Amino acid sequence: MPVSNELLDSLLADFKKPGKTYANLEEARQDVFHYIEMFYIPKRRHGFSNGLSPVEYERQYFERLKVSNEAGVIQSLVTVFSRYSSIS
C-alpha cells in the first residue's frame, strides 16, 4: 500500500511559513514533537492495520472486544439457565 506524505508535507509547509520563527532550538523541537505525537502519528495510516490510522484501529479493536465480551456474558447466562432448568 503506498504511503502518503501529505501530513509530513503539511509539517514542512508550516516551517516554511513567513514569520514562523523560534526563540531557540528547544522551542522548535517541542513544536516538531507536538506535531508528530499529537497529529501525525494518530492520523497516519499503517500497513499492519490494513491502512487504518492507529486511532481507528484501536476504536475497532475495542469495539470487537466489547462485542466478544458481551457474547461471552450471554453464553455464560445461557449455560447457567440451562443448568438451572435441568435441575428443576
Side-chain angles (χ1 to χ4, degrees):
M1 173 181 297
V3 176
S4 171
N5 287 329
E6 187 176 306
L7 294 172
L8 186 56
D9 290 343
S10 173
L11 170 67
L12 296 175
D14 277 350
F15 288 124
K16 294 177 183 178
K17 283 182 183 174
K20 179 97 175 187
T21 59
Y22 296 99
N24 54 46
L25 185 57
E26 186 57 32
E27 191 178 300
R29 281 187 185 135
Q30 288 176 358
D31 198 23
V32 170
F33 176 83
H34 183 266
Y35 180 86
I36 291 170
E37 292 296 324
M38 305 308 284
F39 180 74
Y40 181 74
I41 289 177
K43 292 186 179 193
R44 181 177 167 260
R45 295 183 197 130
H46 295 273
F48 79 91
S49 61
N50 294 325
L52 298 174
S53 71
V55 171
E56 181 60 21
Y57 180 81
E58 287 181 3
R59 187 194 68 73
Q60 288 184 14
Y61 170 79
F62 286 115
E63 184 62 31
R64 284 192 307 271
L65 190 62
K66 178 179 150 191
V67 169
S68 174
N69 285 341
E70 289 170 356
V73 168
I74 291 170
Q75 184 58 45
S76 296
L77 290 173
V78 168
T79 303
V80 168
F81 285 126
S82 66
R83 286 181 186 161
Y84 177 74
S85 62
S86 67
I87 295 173
S88 301

